Amino acid sequence: MRPEIKEYNYDWLMGRTLKAAAALGRGTEKEARAAFEYMPYFRGVASSFLREGEAGRIFLELLAQNYDNILTAHGRGKKLVATTFCKSPVIFFAADMVPVTFEILTAIGGLVWQRGMFEYMDFCCEAGMTETSCSSQRGAMGAYLAGLGERIDLVVCDTPGVCDTNATAFAFTAAYLGIPFFQLNYPSSIGDARSQNYHAADYMELVRFLEEHSGKPLDFERLSGLLSEVERQDYLTAELEDLMALVPSPVPPIYSLMLYAGRFCFAGDAIFTRLLSSMLESAQENARKGKPGVPQERLRMFTCYIDHYTVDINFWHYLEDRGIAHIGSILSRNFRDNNAYCADLPGSCYSIDTSSKEAMLESIAQMDARLPMVRSIRGPYDQPGMWLAETLALAKRYRADCIVYNGTPGCRNTWGMVKPFARELEKHGFPVHIMYDDAFDDRVESWEATRERLDEFFQVRGLL
Amino acid sequence: MKQQCAMALLQDAASRIDPPAVMRWRDEGRPVLGTTCSFVPAEILYAAGVLPIRLRGLAARGSSIGDAYFGPFICSFPKCLLELAGSGSFRFLDGVVITPGCDAMRRLHECWRKAGEDIPGIVPGFFHYFDVPHKTEGHGFSWFIDEMKVLVEKMSSHFNVKITDEDLSSAISLYDEGRRLYETLEGFLLEDGPRLSGTEVLASAIAGSVLPREDYNQLMRQAVEEAMSRPPADECLIRLVVAGSVDDTLDLFRLIESRGKALVVGETLCFGSRFASNSIQASEDPLRGIAGHYLVSSTCPRMFGGYAERLHRLLDLVRSRRADGVILQNIRFCDMHGSENGLMARDLKRMGIPALRIEREYGPLADTGRINLRVDAFLEQIAAKRLTIKRVESTASAASRAAAEV
């Protein structure tokens, strides 16, 4: 890592940047314009969110709040727990801990920083990780390994059985920093009694681990409050998802990103409820007016894996420019049992019951087991409830014109099967494009090349 | 004749995907079942009268079939297995058991099946996914036991056999005998003057993953006798331990030892001592004993969070074998071993133990020249270190002599 990069504490750098951006939303337009003069790199991203109105402003506040929580955790006597995006933060909030979600922080860094997260990603390789490891962890993780962020106290991941590269990154972090490690482990099936019991037993171990390290018993009253807030959030999410099924979709593409980033950072927290309420209100307003979420909807795209997060939110601007409605990804659905698509995927959904301690733990264990990736790439992709069934159910229900796979070269799991998977989707009538870029690292393929290939796909397949 | 050839026969078995003994077993009408990982309990298969053979990709000469189903960012080992499956080289198998040893290997399950839709006849009649958990205790252990029970049930039904506890106990005894013989053979590497090479010892371990166990034990008994009859060499070779990714070929070990400068005195490979040694602890319930051996004593980095324990075991091996250095190798895209190798290289170097980290491709050593060069340089470093230590020791001893004279 270059010495000049080491001069700056990464958490403070990001935290202050996002706090300033969030503050812009509270000022006048003139003030914002004046401030943009001084932020040549970040203004494109900040102004994109601010253009989304109240929802965009809340989203910036949410990101700033996330960093504020991290930066002030130790001062407030809370422990920082490194974790992954496919692990719900609710249990950490209940244990009075602050989650540090590597993938989210890498995506934020990639969005706001013109030079991307490359220096930090590469530091992980300096520290000993393979260069073929997943970039989604390596970004923010590099800063923490280099000692440029707040001190991480413990590591909890839930990807063993789901994603080796992810789990390896977290195991590596714990070993490198010499801190406690816990893994939730998932079997290859979902929805059957055996795997449900496994989830519950595993979760009890997690609770014991958290209690040991927080030094206090889990606060079930707090957990109950958090789960009740999740109830509200799930309801709002379902409403928003229903709107996405309309043609044209009244939901702007960037809402997908805001929805899942908000959920991964703040499930159970009121700020995410505020964000969802605002997004829903705006989308409902669009629907009432018959106004699409993109200037003119020409195509409906389902991203069967993740989206693209590198500099200047290029991908999201591209969707708007081309008139492509983003109708969700593996990240954006919450799989609550009363959602419409759950009828097509028996066993893949969860419910919430706060009537007793046992019921709460069972609810949260089953909810975690249905987070992205954990839910659908844990077993053979064509088995019941797995990736193929999920993708087909969602693509059909949301009337996708095409399906796009995007990930990172580090995703050994999906690259191990994406070719036959894509072929099967094609057999079901969906044109499929496999992107060979890296969602977090433009050095693998420049955005310009990625854009060309997307354009070529849409053109060759007669979609645009 | 047999007495003289045991070591050569073991090497032959280790170098072919279809050794004659396996074909004989098949010709006698007995089923042969391929496994993809050292987590599959061979004893269960053997107890059912089925020959378990660990699948190897060593005969693959390309990856056009492998590349058609797997994506580009995938380790070459499962691609080579699929290549062989797709080209019909595994048609002699009656079944396959695939495990989630790692993400790339578990996706072999889908890729093989999908290739079977395009190339008829390459998917054996028994095709089973054996779901190995990442936890060794409590519900993880119970899950593994249940998986073994499911395997027993499915095999019993498919091959129309009954697997009793007695059958399992006999199979455990038979496999344990092979493990003890392997440990005896491996013990020769402790000697200063090597009677046999690390390549020969690895070959004996690999052979144990494919040969019918009675044949294997017989060959191993002869191999031990052969080794004992060899005179100890008086060469002072650099003693190395090899750790890391799957290695089912003898090429890397041969390359390390071929210059006559080094001896591989130990390894932690899943085709090597991880599978071939450590007897199963006696248990009233044979399945629990088997689970204890295969799951609990595993040293694979897929059991996330066990780094300190694995480092400790590696250090024990380095010390007990008096190794001068460690070669940490991984196949490209094997992040589990690759990243753990990074930690191990850091920690070994901190302890003053020379460590070389190599990333390589699986298969016929495509990058022999590069690896040769790096291994040579590593050996030179160790030799220079040895020389320095020798000089320091001789200076110290001369000084103490002089002091005594004064």
Side-chain angles (χ1 to χ4, degrees):
Chain A
M1 185 183 280
R2 283 182 295 156
E4 54 267 41
I5 300 291
K6 288 186 177 170
E7 291 294 313
Y8 298 94
N9 178 294
Y10 181 75
D11 281 344
W12 278 101
L13 197 63
M14 278 294 143
R16 303 312 296 177
T17 304
L18 291 166
K19 199 163 189 170
L24 287 177
R26 291 193 293 272
T28 64
E29 206 182 316
K30 189 179 170 190
E31 282 171 326
R33 268 204 312 276
F36 285 152
E37 298 279 318
Y38 299 98
M39 37 194 286
Y41 298 146
F42 182 45
R43 69 177 165 220
V45 176
S47 57
S48 296
F49 285 116
L50 292 175
R51 270 203 307 275
E52 295 301 331
E54 188 191 46
R57 286 197 296 276
I58 298 172
F59 184 66
L60 286 172
E61 273 174 35
L62 180 145
L63 296 182
Q65 182 65 52
N66 190 36
Y67 262 107
D68 202 50
N69 288 353
I70 293 170
L71 286 163
T72 59
H74 288 141
R76 291 179 291 137
K78 293 171 189 270
K79 291 204 170 177
L80 283 177
V81 51
T83 193
T84 178
F85 73 100
C86 42
K87 169 88 197 69
S88 170
V90 168
I91 194 71
F92 302 126
F93 296 144
D96 204 21
M97 291 179 174
V98 174
V100 177
T101 312
F102 284 167
E103 297 86 356
I104 296 295
L105 300 188
T106 302
I108 293 172
L111 287 173
V112 305
W113 215 356
Q114 200 189 34
R115 60 175 173 258
M117 295 296 285
F118 312 146
E119 297 271 358
Y120 303 101
M121 287 176 188
D122 292 351
F123 183 78
C124 292
C125 302
E126 280 181 50
M129 285 186 78
T130 54
E131 63 174 0
T132 54
S133 302
C134 184
S135 51
S136 67
Q137 289 91 39
R138 275 195 293 130
M141 182 182 158
Y144 292 105
L145 296 188
L148 300 176
E150 290 298 296
R151 187 190 75 247
I152 304 284
D153 298 299
L154 52 152
V155 175
V156 173
C157 76
D158 66 346
T159 42
V162 179
C163 176
D164 287 341
T165 34
N166 180 305
T168 297
F170 285 94
F172 185 96
T173 301
Y176 189 86
L177 298 176
I179 54 177
F181 171 83
F182 184 88
Q183 55 149 322
L184 279 172
N185 162 214
Y186 289 102
S188 64
S189 56
I190 194 166
D192 56 296
R194 200 173 152 224
S195 63
Q196 298 282 91
N197 292 339
Y198 194 92
H199 300 155
D202 220 19
Y203 219 83
M204 286 306 296
E205 274 190 7
L206 171 63
V207 170
R208 283 194 288 274
F209 175 83
L210 293 176
E211 286 179 336
E212 182 193 336
H213 289 283
S214 69
K216 49 195 167 191
L218 189 69
D219 185 338
F220 279 93
E221 207 173 310
R222 187 186 290 161
L223 180 60
S224 172
L226 287 159
L227 288 174
S228 300
E229 196 67 30
V230 171
E231 284 263 30
R232 282 188 280 281
Q233 293 167 356
D234 284 353
Y235 168 77
L236 294 168
T237 303
E239 291 288 301
L240 203 55
E241 287 178 342
D242 281 353
L243 290 176
M244 274 186 201
L246 296 176
V247 180
S249 163
V251 184
I254 197 77
Y255 275 26
S256 278
L257 170 73
M258 287 156 58
L259 193 155
Y260 57 73
R263 185 180 184 218
F264 299 152
C265 293
F266 283 114
D269 190 293
I271 193 169
F272 180 45
T273 316
R274 263 208 303 141
L275 174 68
L276 284 169
S277 303
S278 177
M279 286 198 294
L280 181 60
E281 208 173 289
S282 164
Q284 282 170 334
E285 181 65 19
N286 283 347
R288 272 194 293 274
K289 291 179 184 163
K291 185 183 162 196
V294 290
Q296 188 190 359
E297 183 172 305
R298 298 167 64 202
L299 180 70
R300 297 169 68 82
M301 180 186 76
F302 180 70
T303 43
C304 62
Y305 197 46
I306 61 173
D307 294 309
H308 192 284
Y309 310 104
T310 61
V311 289
D312 283 342
I313 52 174
N314 283 321
F315 176 70
W316 307 89
H317 289 151
Y318 172 84
L319 298 180
E320 283 185 12
D321 290 347
R322 298 289 190 275
I324 301 170
H326 186 295
I327 53 167
S329 69
I330 194 173
L331 307 174
S332 60
R333 308 274 173 237
N334 70 359
F335 283 83
R336 184 63 196 276
D337 56 357
N338 49 8
N339 286 347
Y341 47 82
C342 289
D344 307 327
L345 296 158
S348 296
C349 309
Y350 69 93
S351 56
I352 289 180
D353 178 356
T354 54
S355 61
S356 67
K357 288 180 182 180
E358 293 72 27
M360 280 190 266
L361 287 180
E362 173 70 15
S363 298
I364 196 169
Q366 303 308 341
M367 182 173 80
D368 260 33
R370 279 135 184 102
L371 267 284
M373 277 189 8
V374 172
R375 181 184 62 244
S376 57
I377 61 169
R378 56 162 79 177
Y381 76 78
D382 52 353
Q383 300 300 299
M386 290 294 130
W387 202 24
L388 182 65
E390 173 187 311
T391 303
L392 284 172
L394 294 175
K396 282 175 187 166
R397 188 167 282 272
Y398 289 88
R399 286 178 274 186
D401 298 310
C402 64
I403 296 171
V404 171
Y405 167 86
N406 190 40
T408 80
C411 188
R412 225 57 68 223
N413 188 337
T414 52
W415 282 112
M417 58 176 168
V418 73
K419 285 183 181 177
F421 169 76
R423 207 169 61 165
E424 288 204 40
L425 292 174
E426 289 271 357
K427 281 180 192 166
H428 283 87
F430 291 102
V432 182
H433 178 56
I434 299 175
M435 290 164 75
Y436 285 84
D437 62 339
D438 187 317
F440 300 85
D441 189 349
D442 270 358
R443 295 171 302 177
V444 172
E445 182 182 88
S446 68
W447 163 249
E448 289 71 22
T450 302
R451 186 187 59 203
E452 289 295 311
R453 289 178 185 193
L454 279 168
D455 277 341
E456 186 184 31
F457 164 69
F458 294 135
Q459 198 178 355
V460 168
R461 302 300 296 267
L463 295 162
L464 279 182
Chain B
M1 172 71 178
K2 275 183 184 170
Q3 287 283 0
Q4 294 165 344
C5 295
M7 215 76 89
L9 287 171
L10 287 166
Q11 285 202 47
D12 180 65
S15 307
R16 303 163 60 150
I17 59 166
D18 52 356
V22 174
M23 293 298 111
R24 274 200 303 277
W25 178 286
R26 179 94 172 80
D27 293 344
E28 287 163 9
R30 294 188 283 176
V32 179
L33 204 145
T35 64
T36 59
C37 181
S38 58
F39 279 100
V40 181
E43 288 82 352
I44 291 181
L45 279 62
Y46 217 72
V50 173
L51 175 64
I53 68 163
R54 181 93 183 265
L55 295 182
R56 290 168 296 154
L58 70 171
R61 291 288 172 263
S63 64
S64 56
I65 300 172
D67 287 330
Y69 299 91
F70 279 112
F73 309 113
I74 292 290
C75 155
S76 37
F77 182 62
K79 283 187 179 179
C80 284
L81 292 183
L82 185 61
E83 188 71 21
L84 292 174
S87 58
S89 302
F90 290 143
R91 278 183 199 268
F92 66 90
L93 295 174
D94 298 283
V96 166
V97 177
I98 290 175
T99 59
C102 67
D103 283 342
M105 287 302 286
R106 74 181 166 118
R107 293 303 171 203
L108 184 61
H109 187 264
E110 289 102 306
C111 289
W112 194 330
R113 279 192 289 114
K114 297 301 160 187
E117 291 173 9
D118 303 325
I119 313 167
I122 63 163
V123 181
F126 185 82
F127 201 81
H128 181 70
Y129 189 83
F130 184 71
D131 195 6
V132 182
H134 293 259
K135 295 198 166 185
T136 58
E137 291 166 356
H139 54 285
F141 190 80
S142 303
W143 182 275
F144 192 73
I145 296 268
D146 287 346
E147 281 296 299
M148 289 197 293
K149 286 179 180 165
V150 170
L151 180 63
V152 166
E153 196 184 306
K154 289 204 169 169
M155 284 186 54
S156 302
S157 153
H158 184 87
F159 295 109
N160 197 25
V161 290
K162 187 170 181 344
I163 305 170
T164 64
D165 280 1
E166 289 71 37
D167 295 329
L168 285 169
S169 298
S170 304
I172 290 171
S173 299
L174 197 62
Y175 270 79
D176 274 353
E177 187 189 350
R179 290 186 182 109
R180 284 191 295 273
L181 287 162
Y182 171 79
E183 284 165 3
T184 307
L185 200 65
E186 203 185 22
F188 289 112
L189 295 171
L190 281 168
E191 297 176 333
D192 284 334
R195 290 168 196 261
L196 72 177
S197 66
T199 308
E200 287 174 308
V201 175
L202 179 66
S204 74
I206 296 174
S209 71
V210 287
L211 289 177
R213 206 59 175 181
E214 290 89 347
D215 296 14
Y216 176 68
N217 290 353
Q218 175 66 20
L219 279 174
M220 285 297 281
R221 278 191 286 274
Q222 292 166 13
V224 169
E225 283 174 25
E226 275 178 32
M228 286 172 77
S229 67
R230 287 184 188 176
D234 53 5
E235 296 161 274
C236 186
L237 299 176
I238 291 171
R239 301 167 68 84
L240 295 175
V241 163
V242 176
S245 287
V246 63
D247 188 13
D248 65 356
T249 72
L250 303 175
D251 297 346
L252 182 65
F253 276 45
R254 278 196 183 118
L255 183 149
I256 293 167
E257 295 184 324
S258 63
R259 310 296 173 84
K261 295 178 193 167
L263 176 71
V264 180
V265 292
E267 40 74 23
T268 61
L269 307 176
C270 65
F271 264 100
S273 56
R274 254 199 251 168
F275 170 78
S277 62
N278 297 322
S279 298
I280 292 180
Q281 297 287 316
S283 168
E284 277 185 24
D285 176 359
L287 284 184
R288 290 190 78 81
I290 290 171
H293 175 80
Y294 281 91
L295 186 71
V296 180
S297 64
S298 166
T299 54
C300 179
R302 82 178 287 283
M303 309 308 280
F304 301 101
Y307 170 71
E309 190 192 345
R310 290 190 286 273
L311 176 67
H312 188 71
R313 286 194 196 200
L314 180 64
L315 289 172
D316 274 353
L317 188 66
V318 168
R319 284 178 193 133
S320 65
R321 302 284 164 88
R322 290 178 276 104
D324 299 297
V326 179
I327 292 182
L328 301 157
Q329 54 80 34
N330 73 281
I331 303 176
R332 186 158 175 81
F333 300 118
C334 175
D335 300 312
M336 290 192 294
H337 275 292
S339 293
E340 186 146 301
N341 284 352
L343 289 169
M344 285 187 167
R346 175 193 72 165
D347 292 336
L348 289 170
K349 282 175 185 170
R350 277 179 186 169
M351 291 177 225
I353 301 166
L356 171 67
R357 206 175 153 197
I358 293 175
E359 188 178 72
R360 64 184 179 88
E361 279 299 326
Y362 169 80
L365 281 173
D367 41 6
T368 307
R370 180 179 66 85
I371 293 179
N372 243 332
L373 197 70
R374 297 197 61 204
V375 170
D376 266 354
F378 183 56
L379 295 178
E380 276 177 30
Q381 279 174 23
I382 294 175
K385 189 183 166 195
R386 270 182 166 186
L387 202 62
T388 311
I389 292 169
K390 216 170 170 182
R391 276 188 195 138
V392 169
E393 280 170 356
S394 109
T395 311
S397 128
S400 76
R401 270 200 310 275
E405 279 167 20
V406 169

